[in-house]
């Protein structure tokens, strides 16, 4: 007999080898009907698995978070079966669950297109309705290679070879179709339901290597209910309208091109937005006691070896030789004899170098060091995505050098700053996660416990709720993650605060303690925006291009109805510009409705419409983006109103505090 412990603490005896199915059916038929899998000692498992030892088990419902992952996993298998039923010569490769869905990669002479989706989805629905049972078998390694080889599934043979010798070769069957898979799965294909949808196709290199064959990747999603699927598809439609790449082109903000993969060409209007963001965050960190620095972009590999990045991060770095290129028409460009250097992928090791100049005392701490550092990361071309995934970026990076006793206070201070910034940007839904000690970690448990307590106490002191992300901390210390919800409900992981004991030790960053001893400083890596490029992309999508007045590249357009008002309009523009407003004039010989529509599509916050009457009376007709109709104001009143609205939120708060 074995003892099985349930989530409520109850313990029952069962015969060794009893399956989860038998256990749940013995408790309640209704519970069994809703259960699709189980967790055994915290590990997700098939409900049909036998229980051979004492264990704690938890049943997994179809409508739970784990259940959703299983629905998507099983749907990927059904997609692969459907494709092979329709096109038998197609090879299947891998089909993992990803955020918001799944994909499956196929090898086929003719790549799939979205025109194939209706046919595939119809076949998938047919397979699901059959209700085939998912069954698991463990095969001999050589037998698995023989079977897949005989089927012409060369990619599966390669995958079998890649499985470590100490791991079993698991095969999951659904009816006559089978696949190599770690599992687990639900009970039958009917557990999937019909709330699924194929969403897009793309090309992908096998195993992400450009020297390997190109595969046809089909993306899809699935949910526990039709309503959840419909809501998600509606969100996708809205996200398509808000795509920052589309809006960036419409508003002439930026572009990217093949000759500079992952690097942004900022156009004048886009660079206004970029500069406003940088100036804003610079004011905020300066006011919070940070000192701004500037460090080199190109440094010797010796530097990165010392920091530890050369061994663990080199594949993500741009490495260049320290030599003058050869100029002969024929022959190599480089001799290969120069020492290697690298463009910095992050600022932290360079900041330690500044800290290490001169002796530091405990009286000098905390030291808050900020840099708008231009960094480069060698991202794969296929992973690049507009402003959201780039190779060249500017981070609002900062590092706090402090003692262990200062961790809590500095963390609390940072969280308050971060929430204030996000509020000013229009994000009021923030989720904080405290990522704790992983299974493999560096340092002592005592140090980890103390660090986790300091971060947790700091968060509790701020009054903000937070979640525990158990086991998701970095190798060397716990960290905080800050996730934002945008206007259409998407979650973005943006800000971070990460404790670091290791880098200061590696690079000899010490201070003289109060007792005269030398101690390693503690480093807090922290970012609020992450990178300016990615955050601006998020902002564009969050606001659908309708930026707040203070961020708008063009804040006011003065548009004339008749040419007699041109001189008056120019005077208004000159006055607005003299007052620090980004204003433009439109005196084209076009109908006023055409002008208003055009500037509204450009998301200009306010349009001042002026004709002969306005010129004679010294007034303007103000049209505000997103509102119906217009409001007539005196020129003085209209200009003052724009000036007030255009003040950045941090400066408004500062002025209000001064006035109080």
């Amino acid at each position: 007999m074995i003892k099985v412990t349930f989530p409520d603490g109850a313990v029952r005896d069962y015969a060794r080898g009893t399956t989860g199915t038998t256990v749940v059916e013995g408790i309640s038929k209704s519970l069994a009907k809703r259960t699709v899998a189980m967790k055994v000692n915290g590990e997700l498992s098939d409900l049909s698995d036998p229980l051979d030892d004492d264990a704690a088990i938890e049943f997994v419902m179809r409508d739970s978070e784990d259940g959703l992952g299983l629905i998507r996993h099983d749907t990927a298998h059904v997609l692969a079966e459907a494709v092979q039923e329709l096109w038998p010569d197609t090879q299947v490769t891998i089909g993992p669950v990803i955020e918001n869905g799944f994909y499956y990669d196929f090898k086929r002479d003719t790549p799939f297109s979205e025109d194939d989706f209706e046919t595939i989805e119809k076949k998938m629905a047919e397979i699901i309705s059959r209700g085939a049972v998912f069954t698991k078998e463990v095969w001999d390694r050589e037998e698995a290679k023989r079977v897949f080889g005989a089927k012409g599934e060369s990619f599966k043979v390669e995958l079998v070879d890649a499985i470590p010798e100490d791991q079993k070769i698991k095969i999951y069957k659904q009816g006559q179709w089978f696949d190599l898979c770690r599992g687990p799965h639900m009970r039958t294909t009917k557990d999937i339901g019909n709330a699924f949808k194929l969403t897009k196709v793309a090309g992908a290199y096998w195993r992400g290597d450009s020297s390997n064959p190109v595969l046809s990747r089909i993306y899809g999603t699935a949910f526990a209910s039709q309503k959840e699927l419909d809501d998600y598809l509606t969100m996708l439609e809205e996200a398509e309208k808000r795509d920052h790449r589309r809006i960036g082109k419409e508003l002439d903000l930026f572009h990217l091109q093949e000759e500079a993969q992952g690097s942004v060409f900022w156009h004048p209007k886009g660079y206004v937005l970029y500069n406003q963001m940088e100036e804003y965050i610079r004011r905020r960190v300066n006011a919070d006691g940070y000192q701004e620095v500037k460090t080199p972009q190109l440094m010797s590999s010796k530097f990165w070896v010392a920091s530890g990045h050369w061994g663990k991060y080199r594949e993500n770095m741009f490495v260049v030789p320290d030599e003058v290129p050869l100029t002969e028409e024929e022959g190599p460009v480089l001799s290969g004899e120069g020492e290697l250097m690298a463009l910095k992928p992050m600022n932290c090791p360079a900041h330690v170098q500044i800290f290490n100049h001169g002796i530091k005392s405990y009286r000098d701490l905390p030291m808050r060091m900020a840099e708008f550092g231009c960094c480069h990361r060698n991202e794969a071309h296929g992973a690049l995505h507009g402003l959201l995934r780039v190779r060249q970026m500017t981070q609002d990076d900062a590092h706090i050098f402090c003692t262990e006793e200062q961790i809590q206070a500095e963390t609390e201070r940072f969280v308050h700053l971060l929430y204030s910034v996000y509020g000013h940007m229009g994000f009021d839904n923030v989720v904080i996660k405290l990522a704790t000690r992983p299974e493999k970690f560096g340092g002592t448990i005592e140090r980890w416990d103390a660090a986790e307590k300091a971060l947790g106490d700091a968060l509790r002191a701020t009054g903000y709720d937070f979640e525990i992300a158990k086991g998701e901390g970095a190798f060397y210390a716990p960290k905080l993650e800050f996730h934002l919800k945008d206007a259409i409900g998407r979650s973005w992981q943006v800000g971070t605060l990460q404790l670091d004991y290791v880098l200061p030790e590696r690079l000899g960053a010490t201070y003289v303690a109060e007792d005269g001893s030398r101690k390693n400083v503690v480093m807090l890596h922290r970012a609020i925006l992450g990178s300016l490029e990615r955050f601006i992309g998020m902002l564009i999508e969050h606001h659908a291009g309708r930026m707040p007045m203070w961020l708008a590249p063009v804040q006011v357009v003065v548009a004339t109805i008749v040419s007699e008002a041109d001189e008056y309009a120019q005077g208004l523009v000159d006055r607005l510009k003299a007052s620090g407003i980004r204003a433009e004039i439109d005196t084209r010989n076009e109908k006023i409705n055409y002008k208003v529509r055009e500037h509204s599509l450009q998301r200009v916050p306010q349009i001042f419409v002026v004709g002969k009457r306005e010129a004679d009376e010294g007034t303007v007709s103000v049209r505000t983006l997103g509102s119906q109709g217009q409001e007539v104001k005196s020129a003085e009143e209209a200009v003052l109103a724009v000036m007030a609205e255009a003040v950045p939120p941090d400066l408004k708060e500062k002025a209000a505090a001064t006035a109080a």
Side-chain angles (χ1 to χ4, degrees):
M1 302 295 288
I2 60 170
K3 293 188 180 298
V4 174
T5 304
F6 296 93
D8 63 358
V11 179
R12 296 187 185 182
D13 293 330
Y14 291 92
R16 192 179 304 277
T18 299
T19 65
T21 303
T22 301
V23 173
V24 71
E25 288 178 346
I27 295 172
S28 163
K29 293 295 183 185
S30 62
L31 178 64
K33 188 175 181 179
R34 293 182 289 117
T35 300
V36 294
M38 64 179 173
K39 284 185 174 179
V40 180
N41 296 326
E43 184 176 342
L44 201 58
S45 305
D46 296 311
L47 197 59
S48 59
D49 280 352
L51 301 169
D52 295 323
D53 298 293
D54 293 348
I57 71 169
E58 179 184 348
F59 298 120
V60 175
M61 305 296 109
R62 183 176 177 277
D63 59 357
S64 67
E65 186 176 345
D66 287 319
L68 178 59
L70 290 170
I71 289 171
R72 290 171 174 171
H73 183 189
D74 292 4
T75 309
H77 276 242
V78 168
L79 165 62
E81 180 180 1
V83 165
Q84 289 201 312
E85 280 196 20
L86 292 165
W87 298 279
D89 293 336
T90 304
Q91 288 191 61
V92 294
T93 63
I94 58 171
V97 173
I98 58 174
E99 185 180 9
N100 296 322
F102 59 89
Y103 69 77
Y104 214 110
D105 287 345
F106 301 96
K107 178 60 178 172
R108 184 176 178 233
D109 292 338
T110 304
F112 290 105
S113 73
E114 293 187 12
D115 293 338
D116 299 313
F117 284 1
E118 185 177 352
T119 301
I120 297 171
E121 288 173 345
K122 184 177 179 181
K123 177 60 71 174
M124 290 172 68
E126 177 189 320
I127 293 169
I128 289 169
S129 68
R130 295 172 194 166
V133 175
F134 286 104
T135 57
K136 177 173 60 182
E137 297 178 3
V138 177
W139 286 11
D140 172 77
R141 184 178 297 266
E142 293 305 316
E143 176 66 7
K145 290 167 64 176
R146 186 192 67 76
V147 171
F148 283 120
K151 284 167 58 71
E153 298 280 10
S154 59
F155 296 97
K156 292 295 182 184
V157 173
E158 187 176 333
L159 288 172
V160 171
D161 279 332
I163 296 173
E165 290 293 334
D166 61 345
Q167 292 185 18
K168 297 176 180 178
I169 308 300
K170 296 179 184 178
I171 303 294
Y172 276 85
K173 291 185 175 181
Q174 55 206 56
Q176 297 301 308
W177 191 84
F178 59 88
D179 198 3
L180 177 70
C181 182
R182 286 191 297 251
H185 285 270
M186 296 186 290
R187 300 163 301 185
T188 76
T189 57
K190 277 192 175 179
D191 286 331
I192 294 171
N194 290 310
F196 66 88
K197 182 72 177 173
L198 302 182
T199 55
K200 63 178 179 178
V201 292
Y205 293 113
W206 169 237
R207 295 196 161 184
D209 187 336
S210 60
S211 64
N212 285 337
V214 177
L215 306 175
S216 188
R217 176 172 295 178
I218 297 179
Y219 288 90
T221 191
F223 288 87
S225 71
Q226 188 63 41
K227 182 183 182 306
E228 290 173 301
L229 175 61
D230 291 343
D231 289 346
Y232 176 72
L233 295 177
T234 299
M235 185 272 287
L236 283 186
E237 290 177 10
E238 183 61 29
E240 180 68 21
K241 297 174 189 174
R242 292 169 177 257
D243 190 315
H244 72 281
R245 295 167 298 179
R246 171 186 289 182
I247 294 174
K249 184 177 181 180
E250 292 172 355
L251 304 189
D252 193 25
L253 301 179
F254 65 89
H255 82 272
L256 298 107
Q257 63 188 61
E258 189 174 337
E259 293 81 0
Q261 291 275 357
S263 297
V264 184
F265 291 81
W266 289 103
H267 297 195
K269 289 181 180 178
Y271 202 49
V272 168
L273 173 56
Y274 181 99
N275 282 332
Q276 289 300 310
M277 285 293 301
E278 184 175 299
E279 288 168 14
Y280 166 84
I281 201 68
R282 175 175 281 115
R283 287 194 303 269
R284 298 307 310 274
V285 297
N286 286 348
D288 206 50
Y290 289 79
Q291 297 173 303
E292 189 173 347
V293 299
K294 190 72 173 174
T295 58
Q297 290 190 46
L298 187 62
M299 292 178 279
S300 167
S301 61
K302 296 175 183 177
F303 177 83
W304 301 105
V305 169
S307 72
H309 291 89
W310 193 254
K312 295 182 179 180
Y313 201 78
R314 188 168 66 244
E315 71 274 13
N316 298 113
M317 299 169 71
F318 285 99
V319 178
V320 296
D322 186 9
E323 62 173 280
V324 177
L326 302 175
T327 58
E328 297 176 4
E329 290 294 330
E330 297 183 3
V333 175
L334 300 169
S335 70
E337 297 176 359
E339 289 191 7
L340 294 180
M341 304 185 76
L343 291 170
K344 66 178 178 181
M346 67 276 294
N347 300 306
C348 33
H351 287 190
V352 177
Q353 306 309 306
I354 294 177
F355 178 87
N356 283 348
H357 266 254
I359 297 173
K360 300 297 186 297
S361 161
Y362 69 94
R363 295 187 182 91
D364 299 316
L365 305 179
M367 179 182 289
R368 307 181 190 98
M369 197 179 297
E371 179 174 7
F372 296 95
C374 180
C375 297
H376 291 78
R377 295 183 183 175
N378 198 354
E379 301 278 2
H381 289 187
L384 301 174
H385 182 77
L387 299 179
L388 304 181
R389 191 77 176 266
V390 293
R391 285 176 147 188
Q392 177 183 300
M393 72 212 76
T394 299
Q395 296 179 308
D396 72 316
D397 204 10
H399 297 91
I400 302 169
F401 298 89
C402 64
T403 68
E404 290 204 60
E405 294 76 20
Q406 293 169 332
I407 292 172
Q408 181 175 332
E410 287 301 306
T411 299
E412 185 178 342
R413 181 183 184 126
F414 169 70
V415 172
H416 283 305
L417 173 62
L418 174 140
Y419 263 79
S420 174
V421 169
Y422 290 164
H424 288 168
M425 298 296 164
F427 295 98
D428 55 10
N429 190 333
V430 184
V431 175
I432 308 176
K433 296 184 180 181
L434 169 54
T436 59
R437 186 175 68 244
E439 188 174 329
K440 294 182 178 180
F441 62 92
T444 65
I445 290 179
E446 292 76 18
R447 173 175 268 183
W448 270 89
D449 288 345
E452 289 175 8
K453 182 178 185 303
L455 293 183
D457 287 347
L459 291 176
R460 280 182 280 272
T462 65
Y464 297 118
D465 294 331
F466 64 95
E467 302 172 4
I468 299 294
K470 190 174 181 181
E472 295 185 14
F475 174 76
Y476 46 82
K479 62 179 180 178
L480 301 181
E481 297 177 353
F482 300 87
H483 299 253
L484 304 182
K485 281 282 184 73
D486 69 10
I488 58 174
R490 296 173 300 179
S491 180
W492 304 79
Q493 202 248 294
V494 185
T496 58
L497 182 141
Q498 189 162 321
L499 275 173
D500 188 354
Y501 299 105
V502 175
L503 191 61
E505 291 177 3
R506 290 186 68 102
L507 299 181
T510 63
Y511 67 96
V512 179
E514 193 170 2
D515 62 3
S517 64
R518 282 273 188 175
K519 289 188 176 181
N520 288 314
V521 75
V522 178
M523 213 174 161
L524 303 181
H525 304 252
R526 46 110 299 181
I528 298 175
L529 306 181
S531 79
L532 287 174
E533 289 79 3
R534 182 170 181 266
F535 200 89
I536 289 171
M538 284 174 47
L539 267 183
I540 291 170
E541 297 196 4
H542 177 62
H543 293 291
R546 299 174 177 228
M547 307 306 288
M549 177 72 84
W550 69 279
L551 281 174
V554 177
Q555 295 168 318
V556 178
V557 167
V558 181
T560 56
I561 300 173
V562 292
S563 59
E564 289 90 337
D566 288 0
E567 185 177 345
Y568 176 64
Q570 186 61 58
L572 282 172
V573 169
D574 292 343
R575 184 173 177 185
L576 286 164
K577 288 183 175 180
S579 302
I581 302 301
R582 297 184 289 276
E584 293 183 353
I585 191 169
D586 186 349
T587 57
R588 293 175 299 165
N589 185 24
E590 300 285 356
K591 292 186 180 297
I592 191 60
N593 287 344
Y594 176 86
K595 293 181 181 181
V596 168
R597 173 172 169 74
E598 187 175 84
H599 296 303
S600 295
L601 289 174
Q602 286 293 301
R603 279 79 158 183
V604 176
Q606 286 199 355
I607 303 170
F608 286 4
V609 176
V610 296
K612 188 174 185 307
R613 185 174 67 180
E614 285 81 7
D616 292 341
E617 297 176 355
T619 60
V620 297
S621 293
V622 180
R623 291 176 180 255
T624 301
L625 185 65
S627 64
Q628 299 295 321
Q630 59 190 26
E631 184 180 2
V632 177
K633 296 181 179 180
S634 69
E636 178 76 13
E637 182 184 4
V639 171
L640 290 175
V642 170
M643 289 173 60
E645 190 178 349
V647 176
D650 61 311
L651 297 182
K652 281 184 182 178
E653 290 182 357
K654 184 178 180 180
T658 302

